[in-house]
């Protein structure tokens, strides 16, 4: 029994010695030793096929809304909860107090941006009002701009003008894109007088006006020749090298 146990214990030692001797003979007998480069080339079959991953890198699969991967889980939950209870004012206020107020600054802004993108303007205004009450809030023209553009796109011009006035109280000035979209919104709603009020505000703005809002006004004011002539005259003075197109008289009559 002792001999058997000894032979079993010695077997691994003898096999390892045998393998070492064999490898030594092979290396000494072969005149050309394999270079490391050839070994690396032999292992190329282990590389994954291009376009396919052999592991899950944590990124979500399937169609996603834009920027979803930049939004945290808590912010996503808040968006879903707000959309679920948007028709119930009492429950909506509970969600705002219990969840929206707990969000960090970047998550709160991400929720606002996503609601604007989904055209949930009612909820976006609610979240913006919460943001304005935070200690870290500073007047930001881009926060106003994105929300005003979303409201104008949704044809909610009354709410857009409330934000417009609030922006002015914070000594912020709209840019050319904001002027353009608000003017377009009023013309779309058949309110040329309101569009002209925004136009007068644009002319008085410290930033020089751009060409696009003039073009939109000149097109939208075709049924109102007196207003159009005023805009055309200003356009020719500010942009003397540009040409204001007049439609044929037989279609729109004489201006």
């Amino acid at each position: 029994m002792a001999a058997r146990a000894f032979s079993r214990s010695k077997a691994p030692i003898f096999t390892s010695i045998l393998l070492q001797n064999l490898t030594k003979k092979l290396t000494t007998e072969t005149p050309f030793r394999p270079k490391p480069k050839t070994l690396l080339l032999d292992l190329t079959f282990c590389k994954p096929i291009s376009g396919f991953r052999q592991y899950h890198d944590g990124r979500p699969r399937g169609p996603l809304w834009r920027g979803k991967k930049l939004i945290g889980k808590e912010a996503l939950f808040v968006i879903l909860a707000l959309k679920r209870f948007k028709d119930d004012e009492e429950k909506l206020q509970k969600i705002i107090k219990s969840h929206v107020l707990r969000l960090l600054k970047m998550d709160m802004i991400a929720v606002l941006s996503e609601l604007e993108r989904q055209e949930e303007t009612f909820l976006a205004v609610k979240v913006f009002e919460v943001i304005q009450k935070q200690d870290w809030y500073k007047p930001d023209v881009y926060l106003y701009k994105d929300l005003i553009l979303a409201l104008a796109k949704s044809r909610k011009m009354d709410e857009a003008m409330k934000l417009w006035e609030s922006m002015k109280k914070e000594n912020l000035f709209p840019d050319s894109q904001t002027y353009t979209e608000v003017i377009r919104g009023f013309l779309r709603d058949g309110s040329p007088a309101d569009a002209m009020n925004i136009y007068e505000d644009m002319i008085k703005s410290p930033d020089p006006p751009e060409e696009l809002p003039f073009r939109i006004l000149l097109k939208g004011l075709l049924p109102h020749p007196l207003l159009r002539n005023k805009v055309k005259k200003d356009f020719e003075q500010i942009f003397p090298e540009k040409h204001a197109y007049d439609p044929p008289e037989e279609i729109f009559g004489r201006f």
Side-chain angles (χ1 to χ4, degrees):
M1 293 293 288
R4 262 185 210 170
F6 177 78
S7 63
R8 284 178 187 173
S9 63
K10 292 290 183 181
I13 299 171
F14 291 142
T15 52
S16 64
I17 293 168
L18 234 131
L19 286 170
Q20 287 176 7
N21 290 330
L22 281 172
T23 51
K24 282 179 182 178
K25 282 184 179 181
L26 285 171
T27 52
T28 52
E29 287 176 4
T30 53
F32 301 102
R33 294 185 182 181
K35 295 180 180 180
K37 290 183 180 177
T38 55
L39 288 175
L40 290 173
L41 290 170
D42 292 335
L43 294 174
T44 52
F45 71 93
C46 297
K47 292 182 179 179
I49 302 171
S50 60
F52 297 91
R53 293 187 179 90
Q54 294 182 345
Y55 60 92
H56 191 275
D57 56 0
R59 292 187 288 183
R61 300 291 183 258
L64 301 172
W65 62 45
R66 183 181 60 187
K68 182 177 178 182
K69 58 187 177 183
L70 301 177
I71 303 177
K73 291 181 179 178
E74 191 173 358
L76 290 174
F77 171 79
V78 168
I79 292 170
L80 295 174
L82 289 172
K83 291 172 66 176
R84 182 180 179 184
F85 298 112
K86 65 179 178 181
D87 296 326
D88 190 330
E89 185 64 26
E90 184 179 351
K91 290 183 179 179
L92 185 63
Q93 291 300 323
K94 287 182 180 178
I95 293 294
I96 290 173
K97 291 179 181 177
S98 59
H99 291 88
V100 176
L101 289 172
R102 290 175 53 189
L103 292 174
L104 298 175
K105 175 183 177 179
M106 296 309 298
D107 285 335
M108 204 176 288
I109 294 174
V111 168
L112 174 64
S113 300
E114 185 58 29
L115 290 172
E116 291 167 354
R117 196 195 68 80
Q118 295 185 22
E119 298 183 7
E120 295 286 349
T121 52
F122 171 74
L123 296 174
V125 171
K126 292 283 187 184
V127 174
F128 182 68
E129 289 172 353
V130 173
I131 289 175
Q132 285 181 305
K133 296 175 183 177
Q134 302 306 303
D135 295 333
W136 47 261
Y137 171 76
K138 293 180 181 179
D140 188 348
V141 69
Y142 292 103
L143 289 178
Y144 275 104
K145 172 185 173 179
D146 292 340
L147 189 50
I148 289 172
L149 294 184
L151 289 167
K153 186 179 178 181
S154 301
R155 299 192 173 188
K156 295 181 179 178
M157 300 308 298
D158 291 338
E159 289 85 348
M161 291 314 296
K162 288 179 183 177
L163 282 174
W164 187 278
E165 295 301 324
S166 176
M167 179 173 56
K168 282 189 170 183
K169 290 178 182 177
E170 294 188 354
N171 295 320
L172 299 175
F173 297 95
D175 62 356
S176 179
Q177 185 184 5
T178 311
Y179 280 118
T180 301
E181 294 305 321
V182 173
I183 288 171
R184 195 198 305 270
F186 278 126
L187 291 174
R188 191 193 300 124
D189 286 353
S191 303
D194 292 325
M196 287 301 294
N197 289 334
I198 300 299
Y199 168 75
E200 294 293 342
D201 189 85
M202 181 183 72
I203 294 297
K204 297 174 184 177
S205 174
D207 297 327
E210 295 185 9
E211 183 180 349
L212 182 58
F214 282 92
R215 296 286 185 187
I216 291 172
L217 268 171
L218 290 171
K219 183 179 179 181
L221 293 176
L222 286 173
H224 309 279
L226 294 177
L227 296 177
R228 188 180 187 276
N229 282 335
K230 182 183 184 310
V231 174
K232 182 182 177 182
K233 186 181 293 184
D234 293 340
F235 176 77
E236 290 173 347
Q237 289 178 354
I238 297 172
F239 305 99
E241 72 282 359
K242 302 292 183 179
H243 176 69
Y245 172 75
D246 290 327
E249 293 181 7
E250 60 269 17
I251 299 177
F252 293 99
R254 184 182 296 275
F255 287 97

